[in-house]
Amino acid sequence: MITLLVLLAFAGGWEAYARLGGVDSLILPAPSEIATALWDDRGLLWSNLLVTAQEVGLGILVALVVGALLAVALHFSGALRRG
């Protein structure tokens, strides 16, 4: 409960500062502006999310394969194991 109150206070302060503080919305947009942009551009975000998820998955797969190959090389090579 206290965590939620702290988060709401932070978001409220951020909103007030962005709206009343005279800060450029390009530098520090208000949380409401961010939420509106996320809702308005949800189709664009979804298509980019799919591409990013594929890239992350491929990166994890490559890391697993390279890590397994290095582990096998370390296991079977005495010189690498001593190093």
Side-chain angles (χ1 to χ4, degrees):
M1 182 67 178
I2 189 78
T3 304
L4 181 62
L5 291 175
V6 169
L7 287 175
L8 286 174
F10 176 75
W14 177 8
E15 182 78 30
Y17 180 74
R19 296 275 181 192
L20 305 173
V23 65
D24 185 12
S25 66
L26 184 64
I27 304 293
L28 183 66
S32 60
E33 292 176 10
I34 294 170
T36 301
L38 285 171
W39 180 255
D40 292 343
D41 296 331
R42 64 189 177 276
L44 178 65
L45 291 171
W46 180 251
S47 65
N48 288 324
L49 172 69
L50 294 177
V51 172
T52 302
Q54 288 175 344
E55 291 173 350
V56 167
L58 182 61
I60 290 172
L61 181 65
V62 169
L64 287 172
V65 169
V66 170
L69 290 174
L70 288 173
V72 169
L74 282 168
H75 179 70
F76 286 115
S77 172
L80 289 176
R81 197 176 320 157
R82 284 189 301 276

